[in-house]
Every structure is written in structure tokens, then in C-alpha cells.
Amino acid sequence: MVGLGSMAGYGIQSMLKEGHRHLSGLEEAGLKNIDACCELSAITRTSLGPNGMNKMVINHLDKLFVTNDAATIVNELEVQHPAAKILVLAGRAQQEEIGDGANLTISFAGELLGKAEELIRMGLHPSEIIIGYTKAISKTIEILEDLVEKGSENMDVRNKEEVVLRMRSAVASKQFGQEDVLCSLVADACIQVCPKNPANFNVDNVRVAKLLGGGLHNSSVVRGMVLKNDAVGSIKRVEKAKLENYAKTEEAKVEELIKAVADSGAKVIVSGTAVGDMALHFCERYKLMVLKISSKFELRRFCRTTGAIAILKLSQPNADELGYADSVSVEEIGGTRVTVVKNEEGGNSVATVVLRGSTDSILDDLERAVDDGVNTYKSMCRDSRIIPGAAATEIELAKRLKEFSLKETGLDQYAIAKFAESFEMVPRTLAENAGLSAMEIISSLYAEHASGNVKVGIDLEEGACKDISTLKIWDLYVTKFFALKYSADAACTVLRVDQIIMAKPAGGPRRDAQPGGGMDED
């Protein structure tokens, strides 16, 4: 029988493995968690809105990101703290659901937790705060329904003006000042590939090709695909091309096979692997253009663009296996040779936005703005309702929730009042990021809203409060709905935690440990 002397420690120490960590109680677990979440939201908050600042993040692979896109920032930060991870997950859920509004989700959740800390220090129990927050978010969703612009639920998703109106604020928050150029490009691309039933819109059908050089004004939309590689061989341009897709090529009987392909009327061969010299020689002889696409995903998109069917081995294709493109040509854009596959009349399956910019990080940021625009288009295909942007909605929510909290009895009214106060974070942040006085802006917004002007928001360019319907700043209802819902859920999840028990990390060398015992590189 083992003597109890060999079991070190008492209580939870004797129960768990050596090397574990155990934090419990409000001070150690609750407030520490809130602190970590507030730190994370303080990082993303300064990037909120059109005047948001950029962050320079260098990830563990030494890749540099210069962006104000909260989803990218928190993904690359590799957050370790378990409570802050919950906020990261809320931001990621928002990014996957809507594709925009991750910053609002994380910043607002951080603000809610900051207010909850004040209440805990006042002596409220976390469960009372959670009850209050839950009541507040249900009321918020009711009020949001009220603020929807009349008549915005019916929308023609192929009408460029209406699309740009709803897309502008999402793109402007990433690329302020260039939203008009970008929205026009994105709207064109989306409308081209929009299927008969808009609810089936696939984000993957709008591709982005980033080419260095030039500026945003050189960017364009191509109906079809832009491949970032040159054609193999000397034939660089084919009009009205029938396409034949291959994944593999064989050497034996090459000429006979290639002649069979040429006889079937195909003018372009697309291969998924390298093309042998002999095969290439015969392709040249029969005036076949050869393209190589090594990525299988890109190959599938290519098949979607042209309507071709990929064949596994080289053989004479049937007529229905051949695809069609108006023209396949190699062009030089800014010193880069690209293959442009245009399909003007044929199926409108893929469109490519060709972005131009001076550095890689600018191009990456432009691509994120385009992604946001395309995702917003997808959301508006499902639900096109809009609500006032530029912090008008937030101030109205804050005002109405404060009135609601005064009618409540019990301790949760304090939590509801704090929830209402948290909405002030949005106008305050927008004003601070634009270098305006936050107190003045918020008080004049409240004054306007108190006199019944529900649509008054901040005009950041003039630093004054204006009716946003004249400025045309609208947010999608679904973006706001999910962002507020996810952040309230995340905040309540963090507040429910009263103990953290961390097991000893698994063995194996640490990733940041230096190989070779920290010796010099040379």
C-alpha cells in the first residue's frame, strides 16, 4: 500500500498532475479574463472605421502584414490566452458568416466586458450581469428591426447603384477615399457572375489577380480568368478557342493523340502537370496553344469558366467535353506576363478583378477590401435590408436601451444601462480615429437623436453630425445583427467562467527554442 506521504500537496494539488495551473475566484479568474479580452479589443479598436489605423503584424513565419482588417490581425497574432481566444472565435464566426464586421464584434465584446468589470467592482454578481446583458441583447434586436430603412427589403441585386449603396461602407472601412473606384469594380464583377437565383451566389466566382505596378486607377474587371503564368510554347493568342483539359500527358503515340485532339477542333490544351518537349513540339506543329495550370483548384475554376471537362488521359475528346472561350491570350501587364481567358458571351461563371498597386502589402490590403465587398454582396443577396451607418444606429440603440433600463426593476437594470453605454464605443472610436473630440460628437449626437432625428450620424470628413441619408452611409442589417449577437454571446461566455484549470502542456521541443542550442548562425 502506498503511503499518503508520497502524494505532495493538499486539495486540488493532490488531484491533478504535476505542472498544472489552477486559477479560481473572481480576482484571479474572472477579472484576469476580462483584462485579457479588453487588451485584445484595445488592439483592434484603433482600426475601426474608415480612419482606422493600420497594424503591422509579423507572424511566426516572418511574413509581414500591414492591415486594418481585424480578422487578419487576430488570426495572425496567435492569441494564447484562453478567454481572449473566445473573442477571436467570435470574430472568426462573424467573418465566416458575413465576411465583414469582425472588428465591431471584437471591440464591442471587449467594451461589454470592460463595463462588466465596473459592475463587478460595484458588487454585482456575474450572473446578474449575464441576465441583464441577455435581456439587453434581445431588446437591441427588437430595436434594430425598427431602424431598418423602409422599402430596402426589396432590391434588385443586378442594379449597380443599389449594390454600391450597400457595399460602400464595408469597403470604405478598409480603403477610405478609394471606395468609389473599388465598389464600382466589385459591383461589376459580382453582377456579372450572379446566378439566376441570387441566393446561390458563390463568393469563389469572383477572383482577384494582384499585379505589381500601376495604381488603383489601372485596375479592371475581366470576364473570365487571369492566370499568372505564361503559355508554354510559342503560340500566345487564340480567338474563339475550343478548350481541352488534361491532367496528365503520355509520351507514347504522342503525335497520333495530339493530331486527334487537333482534329476534334480544339485549339488550346490545358495541362495540370509539366508538358514534355516532344508533346510540345507536336502541339506547335498542329497550332495548339498549351497552358499549364498546376493548382487543381485553379484547374477546376478554369473548367467552370470555359465549361470544359477535365480528362485524365490524352485521348480524342468528345464535342461535349470541349470548353469554349472567346479569346485566350498572353498579355504583359506591368512587366508580368499573364494569360487572359476571356468569355464575354459564354456562361457568366467567373469574373476576375485585376488589382494594380505599388507594393505587395498595398495589393494584399486592396484584396481584403475586395473580399469584404464580395462578401457584402453575398449577404445582400440573402437579406438586403439596410440601417443607418456612421454610428447613427448605435446612438439610437444606446438612447432606447437606457430608457428601457429605467423601466426594469432589480439589479439587472444596472447591467442593461451599462450595455447601452457600451454602444457609445462606436461613435467615440470613430471620432477619436478621425482626430475629433469624442465628447462633443457624442453629446451632439444624443441631442439630435433626442429631438427625433434617428438618422443623424458622424460626417468624418467635416467633423460634424449630419443626416446620413444625404451622405449615403448605410450598413447592412445582417452585418450589425450578427456582430452584436456574437459579441454579447462572447461576453456572457467569458463572464460565466469562475475557474481556469490548465493541464501541463504536452512534451516535445518548444517551437521558439533555438535549434543547435542557440549557437550563432554562421
Side-chain angles (χ1 to χ4, degrees):
M1 206 170 108
V2 182
L4 281 178
S6 64
M7 294 182 65
Y10 297 99
I12 199 155
Q13 250 77 24
S14 63
M15 185 174 78
L16 294 172
K17 237 190 214 170
E18 204 178 333
H20 76 279
R21 285 173 62 202
H22 173 242
L23 309 166
S24 67
L26 259 184
E27 261 313 316
E28 268 203 333
L31 295 178
K32 282 246 177 75
N33 282 352
I34 291 176
D35 210 32
C37 295
C38 291
E39 286 291 321
L40 179 67
S41 79
I43 293 175
T44 59
R45 184 174 306 168
T46 50
S47 297
L48 184 71
N51 295 70
M53 307 301 278
N54 278 358
K55 301 276 180 274
M56 198 178 260
V57 182
I58 296 160
N59 71 358
H60 62 282
L61 300 171
D62 261 356
K63 183 165 166 39
L64 171 72
F65 294 86
V66 182
T67 176
N68 58 6
D69 178 38
T72 312
I73 295 167
V74 294
N75 272 344
E76 298 306 329
L77 278 180
E78 294 207 4
V79 177
Q80 279 297 300
H81 194 283
K85 265 189 186 163
I86 293 173
L87 291 202
V88 174
L89 291 172
R92 203 172 290 164
Q94 173 74 7
Q95 190 67 19
E96 284 170 10
E97 182 74 42
I98 304 292
D100 181 37
N103 201 331
L104 177 63
T105 309
I106 295 170
S107 306
F108 188 64
E111 185 74 8
L112 286 177
L113 288 166
K115 298 286 186 211
E117 182 177 2
E118 294 170 22
L119 291 169
I120 289 171
R121 295 207 187 281
M122 272 166 50
L124 257 77
H125 192 274
S127 39
E128 283 152 352
I129 301 173
I130 291 168
I131 292 168
Y133 275 6
T134 314
K135 278 187 186 169
I137 189 67
S138 342
K139 185 68 183 169
T140 303
I141 287 165
E142 272 176 44
I143 302 169
L144 256 189
E145 293 266 347
D146 252 11
L147 296 176
V148 170
E149 180 69 2
K150 299 281 180 289
S152 67
E153 58 282 338
N154 303 321
M155 162 198 176
D156 173 18
V157 289
R158 290 179 180 78
N159 178 340
K160 190 170 169 185
E161 275 177 30
E162 289 191 31
V163 170
V164 170
L165 180 77
R166 289 164 169 74
M167 202 184 275
R168 253 186 99 213
S169 65
V171 176
S173 66
K174 298 282 178 291
Q175 292 289 332
F176 189 44
Q178 301 175 325
E179 65 270 21
D180 294 334
V181 185
L182 272 173
C183 282
S184 160
L185 287 172
V186 176
D188 281 343
C190 290
I191 291 167
Q192 277 176 22
V193 300
C194 187
K196 293 246 182 331
N197 176 5
N200 299 335
F201 177 77
N202 183 2
V203 184
D204 198 38
N205 287 344
V206 177
R207 309 300 307 155
V208 175
K210 299 177 290 190
L211 302 172
L212 275 175
L216 187 61
H217 54 277
N218 302 93
S219 302
S220 58
V221 176
V222 172
R223 273 200 138 163
M225 280 180 82
V226 175
L227 307 169
K228 274 178 111 176
N229 50 5
D230 197 348
V232 189
S234 59
I235 300 169
K236 303 292 185 196
R237 186 174 183 87
V238 178
E239 298 285 334
K240 294 199 167 51
K242 293 253 176 83
L243 286 111
E244 170 57 326
N245 249 326
Y246 289 115
K248 293 274 181 294
T249 55
E250 291 172 0
E251 289 292 358
K253 294 163 59 190
V254 171
E255 180 174 13
E256 189 186 315
L257 291 168
I258 286 176
K259 186 173 185 309
V261 172
D263 291 345
S264 70
K267 292 184 184 174
V268 181
I269 288 186
V270 181
S271 158
T273 50
V275 180
D277 290 344
M278 197 197 301
L280 186 57
H281 163 74
F282 292 122
C283 290
E284 298 274 303
R285 184 188 287 177
Y286 289 106
K287 300 280 185 293
L288 289 170
M289 182 179 185
V290 182
L291 295 178
K292 176 173 166 254
I293 303 179
S294 44
S295 149
K296 65 174 182 187
F297 299 107
E298 200 72 348
L299 201 59
R300 280 179 200 156
R301 280 183 211 114
F302 188 88
C303 292
R304 266 215 309 269
T305 312
T306 57
I309 294 172
I311 303 175
L312 288 177
K313 67 178 199 296
L314 198 52
S315 60
Q316 181 163 9
N318 305 331
D320 54 352
E321 288 172 338
L322 288 174
Y324 175 79
D326 286 343
S327 73
V328 180
S329 59
V330 176
E331 293 172 20
E332 195 163 317
I333 304 181
T336 318
R337 296 192 78 113
V338 292
T339 309
V340 181
V341 182
K342 283 193 178 164
N343 224 347
E344 300 288 333
E345 301 137 23
N348 51 356
S349 49
V350 176
T352 304
V353 180
V354 180
L355 290 177
R356 309 293 310 281
S358 47
T359 65
D360 282 331
S361 50
I362 289 177
L363 283 171
D364 287 344
D365 228 25
L366 283 172
E367 183 184 16
R368 286 183 200 109
V370 170
D371 279 349
D372 269 27
V374 176
N375 281 317
T376 310
Y377 185 81
K378 183 184 175 186
S379 308
M380 71 178 91
C381 285
R382 289 186 304 181
D383 184 349
S384 63
R385 289 178 293 175
I386 48 177
I387 48 177
T393 302
E394 278 79 6
I395 286 288
E396 185 62 23
L397 287 170
K399 177 178 135 284
R400 295 209 200 168
L401 267 183
K402 272 197 182 127
E403 292 163 6
F404 172 67
S405 74
L406 298 174
K407 294 178 192 154
E408 280 291 306
T409 51
L411 287 173
D412 40 1
Q413 67 177 7
Y414 297 108
I416 297 173
K418 286 289 186 200
F419 195 99
E421 246 172 71
S422 303
F423 281 115
E424 290 175 13
M425 184 260 329
V426 176
R428 187 182 338 116
T429 308
L430 288 177
E432 281 170 3
N433 287 351
L436 310 170
S437 157
M439 292 315 294
E440 282 176 26
I441 294 272
I442 289 178
S443 51
S444 57
L445 277 175
Y446 269 131
E448 288 280 1
H449 280 255
S451 55
N453 303 334
V454 180
K455 292 183 193 163
V456 171
I458 312 172
D459 176 8
L460 292 174
E461 286 176 15
E462 293 189 17
C465 298
K466 285 191 175 175
D467 186 331
I468 61 97
S469 50
T470 56
L471 299 172
K472 294 203 166 61
I473 305 174
W474 299 96
D475 286 342
L476 274 182
Y477 165 81
V478 272
T479 309
K480 204 71 96 189
F481 171 84
F482 280 110
L484 298 176
K485 199 165 168 314
Y486 285 149
S487 39
D489 284 352
C492 291
T493 309
V494 173
L495 286 173
R496 280 200 178 92
V497 174
D498 74 330
Q499 290 195 358
I500 305 174
I501 303 156
M502 291 155 89
K504 182 184 176 184
R510 293 279 303 278
R511 189 165 65 194
D512 50 6
Q514 285 257 306
M519 292 196 303
D520 289 347
E521 280 181 17
D522 49 6

